[in-house]
Amino acid sequence: MKTAPAQARHGLLLAVLCSLNAGGLFASDINLPGVPATAHAFHTPVASVQWTFSAFMIGIAVSQAVYGPISDAYGRKRVILPGLGLFVVASLICAVAPSVEVFGAGRLLQALGAGSGMVLGRAVIGDLYDEKDAARMFTTVMPIVGVSPSVAPLIGGYLTTYVSWRAPFVVTAVIGLVTLFVVATAIPESLPPERRAQRLGTTLRGYPRLLTRPLFWAYTLNLAVAYGGYFGYLAASPLVFEKMGLSTQATSYCYITVSLTYVAGNLCSRALVRKHAVDRLLWCGHGFFFLGAVLMLGLGLSGAGGRWGLLVLVFMPVMTFGNGFLLPLSTSAGVTAFRSTAGSASGLMGALQLLGASLGIYLSSRLPAGDLFSLGWFVLAVSLIGSTAFAVCLSLAARQRRAPAAAPAATGPTAVVPAPRAAARGEQQPASVD
C-alpha cells in the first residue's frame, strides 16, 4: 500500500501527464466557439481565422517528428521545459495579437510548444513504469485526452461569451505555466543518461525506409483521413451552428457527442481486438466513417434547417465512433509492424496524421460558409479516399511480401493486435517482421 506522500507524488505526476498529453488538443479546440468573434475583431473573413487551425496542426505535426528523437538523445526534461515555455509565450501572443497575421504566427508557435508535451508525455510513462503499471497509467490518461476536445470548446464558449475571445488563450497560458513549474520543480528526469540514444542521426535515418513501405502507408493514411475529416468538420462547424441560429454558448455544447462517441468506439475496438483481426476491425471503422458521411450528406441534400439541422450532432458522432476504431488500431498496427524503428514510426505517423488534419482544415475552410451540403460532400470524399487508399496499400503490401527477390518486408498483423491502450496492458502482439 502506498504511503500518503507516495500517493501525493503519484497524483501530481498523473496530473502533469494528463496536462502534457491533452494540452495540445485542448489548446487547439478552446477557440472554436470564438472563431466568428475573432474574425470580427480582426475585421477579416472567417476563413482567415479558420486557417490558423491549419497552422496549429502543421506545428503539431512538425513537433511530432522532431521532439521524440531529440529527447531520446538528450533526455525528456531538456525538451519538455523549453517546449512548455514556448507554449506559454505563444499563448500570450495570441491573447494580445493586434492582427490576424500575428494571431496565426502565435498559433503556430503555440503548437510547436504544445507538441513537446503530446509526444513526450507518452514517453515519460514508458520510462517510469513497467508494463503492468504503464497500462494503468495509459488507461487513466488516454480517456482524458479523448474527452479534452469536447471540454475545451465548452470552456472556450463560456469565456468568449462572458469575457472575450482572447480569454481562452490567457487560460491556456496559465495552464502551461503551472505545468512548467511543476515539471521543473517536482518531476524528475525519466530517461537517465545510460539509457539515451548515442546518436541522434541513427533514429532519423529510419524515416526514409518507412516511406517506402506500403504497409506503413496503409495505417498512416488511415490516421490522416480520420483526422482530416474530423478536424475539417471542427473548423467548418462554428459557421454551420451560427447559421442555425445557435449562440456562442450553445455552440460550445455541440462538441460533446463527438468526443464521447470516439471514446466509446475506442473502448469497443479494444474489446473486439482480442478475438478479431485488426484489419477487419479497421474496415469496420471505415464502414462507420462512411455511414456517418452519407448521413451528413443526406442531411445537407434535404435542406433541413433549424432544429432538424441539429441532426448533424447525431450523424457526425457516427463518423467519430469509426475513428475510435481507426485511430488506436492503426497506430498500434503501424508501430508494432516496425518494431526495430518503433520510435521513428510513431513520430512519423503522428506527423503525417496531423498534416492530414491540417489539410482537412484548409479544404473545409474553402467551403461555402455554413453550408451543410458542401460539408457533407467533403466528409464523404474523405471517407472514399481513405477506404480506397487502405485497400490499395494493403494489396501492395501483400504483393511486396510475395515478391521472392524482395528484401524482407513488414507484414501487418493478421490476428490480434491491441490498440495502444491494450498494448500497454501487455496483451498479445504480433512478432516484429521489420
Side-chain angles (χ1 to χ4, degrees), residues 16-17 19 63 89 128 202 219 222 241 271 301 308 321 368 370 372 397 417:
V16 168
L17 291 173
S19 178
S63 65
V89 172
L128 295 178
T202 301
Y219 299 125
N222 280 348
F241 297 136
L301 287 170
W308 286 109
F321 183 82
L372 192 56
V417 179

Side-chain angles (χ1 to χ4, degrees), residues 43-132:
H43 306 288
T44 189
V46 172
S48 298
V49 179
Q50 288 176 312
W51 184 87
T52 65
F53 285 93
S54 183
F56 192 96
M57 289 298 110
I58 291 173
I60 291 287
V62 171
S63 65
Q64 289 271 330
V66 173
Y67 283 129
I70 293 176
S71 71
D72 285 341
Y74 300 107
R76 311 303 186 199
K77 287 185 70 171
R78 288 187 180 182
V79 178
I80 291 177
L81 293 178
L84 287 174
L86 177 60
F87 176 78
V88 172
V89 172
S91 296
L92 294 176
I93 290 175
C94 292
V96 300
S99 66
V100 71
E101 291 81 12
V102 175
F103 179 75
R107 289 289 274 169
L108 177 60
L109 292 174
Q110 189 186 38
L112 291 173
S116 65
M118 293 182 68
V119 175
L120 301 182
R122 297 187 297 267
V124 169
I125 295 176
D127 292 339
L128 295 178
Y129 296 95
D130 61 22
E131 197 169 56
K132 186 174 181 180

Side-chain angles (χ1 to χ4, degrees), residues 103-168:
F103 179 75
R107 289 289 274 169
L108 177 60
L109 292 174
Q110 189 186 38
L112 291 173
S116 65
M118 293 182 68
V119 175
L120 301 182
R122 297 187 297 267
V124 169
I125 295 176
D127 292 339
L128 295 178
Y129 296 95
D130 61 22
E131 197 169 56
K132 186 174 181 180
D133 289 334
R136 294 192 182 99
M137 293 297 289
F138 273 116
T139 54
T140 302
V141 170
M142 292 308 172
I144 294 174
V145 176
V147 172
S148 63
S150 65
V151 175
L154 185 62
I155 295 173
Y158 275 96
L159 290 171
T160 301
T161 300
Y162 295 109
V163 185
S164 165
W165 67 266
R166 299 178 185 271

Side-chain angles (χ1 to χ4, degrees), residues 294-335:
V294 170
L295 292 172
M296 290 266 289
L297 179 60
L299 183 62
L301 287 170
S302 71
R307 294 181 178 178
W308 286 109
L310 291 177
L311 283 173
V312 69
L313 302 181
V314 179
F315 297 159
M316 184 62 194
V318 176
M319 293 180 61
T320 54
F321 183 82
N323 280 357
F325 284 70
L326 292 173
L327 292 171
L329 293 180
S330 294
T331 300
S332 177
V335 172

Side-chain angles (χ1 to χ4, degrees), residues 292-390:
V294 170
L295 292 172
M296 290 266 289
L297 179 60
L299 183 62
L301 287 170
S302 71
R307 294 181 178 178
W308 286 109
L310 291 177
L311 283 173
V312 69
L313 302 181
V314 179
F315 297 159
M316 184 62 194
V318 176
M319 293 180 61
T320 54
F321 183 82
N323 280 357
F325 284 70
L326 292 173
L327 292 171
L329 293 180
S330 294
T331 300
S332 177
V335 172
T336 56
F338 299 95
R339 289 190 187 277
S340 64
T341 54
S344 297
S346 177
L348 190 56
M349 289 178 75
L352 294 173
Q353 172 184 348
L354 289 163
L355 283 176
S358 179
L359 180 60
I361 292 169
Y362 173 78
L363 293 176
S364 68
S365 69
R366 316 326 287 178
L367 300 175
D371 185 7
L372 192 56
F373 173 70
S374 298
L375 183 59
W377 275 115
F378 167 76
V379 293
L380 181 62
V382 171
S383 174
L384 292 174
I385 290 171
S387 56
T388 301
F390 186 53

